[in-house]
Amino acid sequence: MLLKSVEYVRPDSVAQAIEILNSNEGAALLAGGQSLVNILKHRVASVDVLVDIATLEELRFVESRPDGSIEIGACITYDELDHSELIHSSHEMIAWVASHIEDQQIRNRGTIGGNCCLSDPTNNFPPLLVAMDATMNIQSSSGMRQVRAEEFFKGYLMTAIQPGEILKSITVPPVPADVGIGYVSLSVGEDSKAIVRSSAWVKLNGVVQEARVVLARVSPIPVRYQPMEEALRGSSATPEDIARAASVIGSDFEPVADSHGSSEYRREMARVVAKRAVLEAVEKVRGEGGSK
Amino acid sequence: MITQSATQAIEVTINGKTYRRVVESRQLLVHFIRDTLGLTGTHIGCDTGSCGACSIIMNGKLVKSCMLLAPQADGAVIETVEGLAHDGELSALQESFRDHHGLQCGYCTPGMLMAATYLLRNNPSPSEEEIRRGIKGNICRCTGYVNIVRSIKAVADGAQLDMGDGVAKEV
Amino acid sequence: MSAASNGRTATRERVTTWTGQGIPRKEDDRLVQGEGSFIDDMGMQGQGYAWFVRSPHAHARIVSIDVSPALALDGVYAVLTGEEAKSMCQEPFFRIAPGAASHIEEWPLAVGKVRYQGDAVAVVLADTRENARDAAELIEIEYDPLPAVVDGVEAAESSAPILHEEAGTNVAWNGVFNYGDIDWALENADHVVKIDRLHFHRFSSTPIEAAGAVVDWDVGSGVVTIHTNHQMPMFAAMFMGPTLGVPINKFSFSSRDIGGAFGTKIGFYPQLAALALLSKKAGRPVKWTEYRTENLLSSTHGNERTFLDIEVPVMADGTILGFKTRAYDDVGAYLHYEPLGGVIWSQVLPGCYKLKHIKVDYSATLTNKCPVSPNRGYSRMQHLWLIERIVDTVARELGFDPIELRKLNFVQPEDYPYETPNGCVYDSGDLPRSLDMALELVEADYWRARQKELGKGKGKRIGIGVGSTLDSGTNNFGQARIINPELPFSGNGEAAIAKLDLYGEVNVNLGTSPQGQGHETTAAQVAADILNVSPDKVTVSIGFEQANNSYIGFSGTYASQFAVTGLGAVMGAAQKLRDEILEVGAYALGLSKDEVELSDGVCVSKNDPSKSIPFIGIANLVYTNNAVLTPELREKVSLTCRYVYTPPFQVPDTDRKWGNLTLTYASQIHACVVEVDEETGEVKILAYAAVDDCGRRINPAIVEGQVHGAAGLGIAAALYESFDYDEDGQLMQPSFYEYHVGTALDIPHIRTSYIESPSPFTPNGAKGMGEGGGGALHAVCNAIQDTLDKDDAIVYDSHNSWERVYDLLKSGERQAPRGVSVLSRVSGS
């Protein structure tokens, strides 16, 4: 509970925040704090300056683009995502995932940007954003750059964010009628820590045109499992097809073990959740989807 | 901009009263509320933001005060359990918890009441499922949650205290 | 089913008394307003904040400790190390164990060696919480790591690393409990069911308030003031006194509200002793707040028990003759209440059943893990789980219906009082009817039909399970002599004082330290009936204060006994006070004692209601106007009446391990319906019910709440909570992040009902209750078992994570060992 001494600063703008980052090597950004504060409490990371960006208006917006994509400011909270009509109308799954993160208190503080930048393998959004092929918009003193979500997550607590950079927003492509998205977790308790998780994006036109299948909690970062994607492509996506495709998740795949599951169990469960996520995605396109 | 420092002068309004204090930047909001201001109704039950005993309502949002640093609350309007009763009159939820034996040791109760208060403000007639989701972030070890859910249900709009029990209830 | 329609059920007809009514609690007005006084709300002028330095190693020699960098930090008042603490002590902590383990020396802080991850090596005092932790991190400690032993069975092997060299063994205690003739039974039974291994896992009910204390050693007066949430403060005093060289009357223990305990707040007296020494050294009060990670690492775990080579003789008709097993109880690194657990389980030796031939070879073993101490259902829950697994496994292997098999073997209503093979006397009950009620509440018939309809292989399976438990209450502490015949303990009891105060206020205090059980309310209900006032007019002192409250050595709140011992004491004290009030009142009214009665705070003539004197008048006569009384009355009456309730126990026969070990036996029957996901092993509870029989219920709402709580904790333990150590002795669930506690989304609605079989042995017909005997663990395990195929392995562990359930579901097709075999001497069954 008791933190090391740390300096606190609350800048007025993203530019100012970047300036502070550039002049303090040990500075870290503080958004909702629902992971970072725990890390500080347990003194497992050393931070000299906390730069509180949670309330910066520049980071707090949800906007739709003419192409049907949406851009979400990094400091939008899970609860705000869950209550955004825009999100619900165009990107329902983002709202659903947000509404099942832990509990109300965490949803009221935790931000989508923080969920990504902490890159904790238990975090909910990274696999979804990889599956949806989101783009991470990163700002620094030299301007903006874009990184695909798939390239953004680099390791446990590590991302593509370089010193002096801030994740400003996330752009999520449109979800046309021939695309379905699935998201399935096997958790220790309901809405609690995931043992294995999968998100699937499936473009379907009679047969599967294209699929992205992402597995999470099996390695430090979300991974696309391409052999399964290939097995799905061109199939008519019957439950049997999907189960067959999931069965290619094989022994080449060595998930991390911890107190919530062995490597072997996680491998087998990866097949199950990936199958279910694809099934959910397919059912959505075919109009059989549930409430999600 | 709040300038960079290991100490911060902050101003926080809690239950209608404004406090100005200089705090260490590293101090958790819950320690500020409990130790510095002496409002000990807000409790601490874990060190990972898992139990919800420290729940408060800050700027209208239910949050865990152990997951915030005191300086993050600068300028905030906060409600704690001490603010629920008015002029000695318990809130409907407080009364209901008492009347339905919705607490035993009482340690999780302040956080639970804040979560329930927030829930009913945003959803005046929740289903049992919605009540359970609303208090998911608050751990109780004494009650199995049964009478807590019952207590909240009883003050929800259009409440009907039917939880499927086929037996006579004493309360 | 209406409880009122049941023949033996006492119902709500007793409106003329406060006892038996579910009135709202006196405690709650303050608690719902955040006005409770919990330990971390306390403080003293000039206090420093303490932080314990804890070992990162499970087993290591301490080579050196350099505290100077910590002392150099601004704001640091003092640092105390193990060696220094030892030099300030008179002797090691009191030892319960006999033999080799009696040589184990435990001091307030580790000396020479650390024996588990989290063992306290030093403690720091500083001006702020944060500075204390900063300083603790600066202390330089060199360790020489040693091999660790983390398995309770392996610990007993001669090759295992020894934790306490002075004992020379990790076996803290061993005893063979042998009743009837199990060898004869095994030779003559129609079937013998053999189970290789059953494992009851390690968990803790983790009250949301962790431990804490504010301690001040006042050197001038020699008084050691200890505000703490310890649930048995005078037990702590007895353990700490000789070590610290402090007489009991120089301790000043106190508690107010306690944020849950469940037994886990008995074992932390070493921390309290270390804090006392730190205060003495620093010359100022010490405040310690235990945060959750420290709590999970080092405060208290529940007993982990492994049962090996279980053999169960069964007759063709299903009569179970008994069982034998070897039990290894893993008690962790130090003996804080242990090895008392080595006998406590035998209070319920045959469980709910008429088993005649039982042999248990029991060992308590030391491991490099957090020390255990009581946790709700202490020691009996582990044993009851064994018996419930035995009954279910026998049913499964021999093709009996598990419900009918239970009913056949249950102690029957007409058998009470029923003497068990080891001399315990079950007082009353109706187990078959409780079981029927639980099944009806959980709608077992409906689910049985659904289960058949669904079958197997369709993705989800349904399972139905029951758990039958006894909640033995009011220990005969003479059973401690079965562990160590030299121990000067026997009997039990509780003390209370009922008092009429200066202005006629009724006040009751007692020696308990409640943690949510509502003692203020139930004590007031009982006193109100005797003094004929409203409970609102009875003030029951909050918490415990050594200086003011009455106590005996057994005082505290633990082991399901308040309704008997605590309320027995309140009844006795209130009756004495009633007598005194009547005596003074009669004198004041010029009547004889049998011509007056009490009514709503007034002593009044039975014949002429106009003749009366209020309590304030009686108080006046005794306290401030006593010259008007006769010398005899002045001598006789004090209006402060102490009573000690003691149950009618005898010292057990320690050679035979025989005697009545507890006074009352409440029962709880749990029933549970689960849905298991065939692809993942995930378990979801579809329906849950518990039927309680604790004799006469003083406050039914409180009783029901206790049933809910016991069920909730058991469900969470069965499915979510487990403390596991890796082979190096590192705890894998050191915080609530890893140790998943059941939330409102995980714990289902719990339906309850009750019957009341009054105890013939207690003053009020009540039985102690609350612990619940781990009923939910039994019911959940049995329900999971019910989803498995005949050729699958049996449910062998009390903790069933999704992975474990998944492995069970796959065990048949993988041809994994089933863990069970049957030897049959008859054909056709």
Side-chain angles (χ1 to χ4, degrees), chain C residues 528-731:
Chain C
D529 280 339
I530 292 167
L531 298 170
N532 212 353
V533 292
S534 156
D536 296 338
K537 299 284 185 200
V538 179
T539 298
V540 180
S541 300
I542 300 169
F544 176 77
E545 276 182 41
Q546 190 183 343
N548 296 328
N549 288 49
S550 189
Y551 59 84
I552 64 171
F554 300 121
S555 287
T557 300
Y558 58 95
S560 299
Q561 62 178 35
F562 178 76
V564 177
T565 57
L567 294 182
V570 171
M571 283 173 75
Q575 277 157 356
K576 282 168 94 170
L577 180 62
R578 182 174 183 277
D579 260 15
E580 290 197 2
I581 295 170
L582 288 173
E583 189 115 23
V584 177
Y587 174 79
L589 298 174
L591 299 167
S592 72
K593 205 173 133 192
D594 55 12
E595 291 174 314
V596 292
E597 63 187 2
L598 302 185
S599 171
D600 207 13
V602 172
C603 180
V604 59
S605 162
K606 287 178 186 171
N607 301 319
D608 178 2
S610 70
K611 281 182 146 181
S612 71
I613 177 170
F615 283 7
I616 186 172
I618 286 165
N620 167 258
L621 288 175
V622 175
Y623 290 123
T624 50
N625 196 10
N626 60 31
V628 306
L629 299 179
T630 64
E632 294 74 28
L633 258 184
R634 285 205 295 268
E635 183 68 26
K636 196 172 167 186
V637 169
S638 69
L639 298 184
T640 300
C641 302
R642 181 174 190 263
Y643 183 82
V644 177
Y645 168 78
T646 56
F649 281 133
Q650 290 172 348
V651 177
D653 178 337
T654 55
D655 289 337
R656 290 167 60 211
K657 297 187 173 65
W658 199 93
N660 193 12
L661 306 185
T662 35
L663 190 66
T664 65
Y665 288 85
S667 69
Q668 275 188 23
I669 307 286
H670 291 235
C672 169
V673 180
V674 300
E675 178 189 85
V676 168
D677 185 319
E678 291 180 327
E679 284 189 311
T680 63
E682 208 172 347
V683 179
K684 185 179 171 192
I685 294 177
L686 299 176
Y688 200 96
V691 173
D692 176 72
D693 180 358
C694 63
R696 189 158 176 226
R697 304 184 308 163
I698 310 300
N699 183 315
I702 289 176
V703 167
E704 192 196 25
Q706 290 291 319
V707 175
H708 291 155
L713 290 178
I715 292 166
L719 296 176
Y720 303 108
E721 299 172 22
S722 176
F723 288 126
D724 306 300
Y725 286 82
D726 70 13
E727 57 191 18
D728 298 323
Q730 297 291 308
L731 180 62

Side-chain angles (χ1 to χ4, degrees), chain C residues 235-262:
Chain C
F235 168 87
M238 286 193 289
F239 269 68
M240 292 163 63
T243 299
L244 298 178
V246 175
I248 297 296
N249 66 350
K250 292 282 186 174
F251 280 120
S252 176
F253 270 91
S254 73
S255 65
R256 297 290 290 271
D257 296 302
I258 295 180
F262 313 117

Side-chain angles (χ1 to χ4, degrees), chain C residues 245-523:
Chain C
V246 175
I248 297 296
N249 66 350
K250 292 282 186 174
F251 280 120
S252 176
F253 270 91
S254 73
S255 65
R256 297 290 290 271
D257 296 302
I258 295 180
F262 313 117
T264 72
K265 285 175 177 163
I266 292 175
F268 71 93
Y269 57 85
Q271 287 93 317
L272 295 179
L275 297 169
L277 295 172
L278 183 64
S279 170
K280 188 181 191 185
K281 181 179 179 184
R284 61 168 72 234
V286 169
K287 179 179 169 89
W288 171 57
T289 306
E290 183 188 56
Y291 294 105
R292 183 58 57 189
T293 301
E294 181 177 29
N295 174 265
L296 296 184
L297 204 59
S298 61
S299 212
T300 274
H301 293 177
N303 295 57
E304 177 180 354
R305 198 170 294 170
T306 307
F307 303 95
L308 297 181
D309 306 329
I310 302 146
E311 295 184 43
V312 190
V314 188
M315 299 310 286
D317 70 347
T319 302
I320 301 174
L321 300 178
F323 63 90
K324 72 185 269 193
T325 185
R326 289 187 291 136
Y328 290 85
D329 196 65
D330 171 354
V331 298
Y334 297 95
L335 303 172
H336 286 170
Y337 198 80
E338 296 301 330
L340 285 182
V343 66
I344 300 282
W345 62 270
S346 69
Q347 296 166 8
V348 291
L349 177 81
C352 297
Y353 307 98
K354 293 203 272 189
L355 311 180
K356 301 287 186 210
H357 310 281
I358 298 175
K359 183 179 179 186
V360 178
D361 182 346
Y362 185 103
S363 298
T365 56
L366 293 148
T367 59
N368 294 109
K369 289 151 84 172
C370 177
V372 304
S373 81
N375 184 47
R376 197 171 195 162
Y378 175 48
S379 194
R380 293 98 86 213
M381 154 174 75
Q382 287 81 351
H383 184 71
L384 290 162
W385 180 79
L386 163 74
I387 293 174
E388 289 298 290
R389 291 302 315 125
I390 285 176
V391 173
D392 238 51
T393 307
V394 166
R396 180 177 189 76
E397 298 305 311
L398 301 181
F400 293 105
D401 178 288
I403 304 299
E404 294 309 316
L405 191 68
R406 281 185 170 77
K407 285 186 179 170
L408 176 73
N409 285 283
F410 270 156
V411 174
Q412 299 297 320
E414 62 273 18
D415 294 333
Y416 299 104
Y418 177 81
E419 188 178 282
T420 66
N422 62 331
C424 292
V425 182
Y426 291 179
D427 46 352
S428 61
D430 190 340
L431 294 166
R433 198 158 63 80
S434 297
L435 178 55
D436 281 338
M437 289 168 70
L439 290 168
E440 193 167 327
L441 266 183
V442 85
E443 297 172 291
D445 290 343
Y446 167 78
W447 289 113
R448 203 50 93 189
R450 281 285 297 137
Q451 182 186 38
K452 287 212 177 79
E453 202 177 292
L454 199 59
K456 285 166 186 162
K458 290 188 193 146
K460 308 270 187 190
R461 295 183 191 177
I462 284 172
I464 301 164
V466 297
S468 330
T469 75
L470 294 174
D471 210 342
S472 51
T474 307
N475 288 337
N476 176 357
F477 275 86
Q479 66 199 278
R481 299 191 195 202
I482 291 174
I483 297 291
N484 180 357
E486 303 292 313
L487 289 176
F489 300 135
S490 68
N492 195 341
E494 187 54 272
I497 290 173
K499 180 165 107 174
L500 203 62
D501 223 323
L502 297 181
Y503 280 166
E505 304 93 336
V506 176
N507 195 82
V508 171
N509 75 50
L510 58 167
T512 62
S513 313
Q515 320 109 30
Q517 296 89 344
H519 292 183
E520 290 166 49
T521 305
T522 48

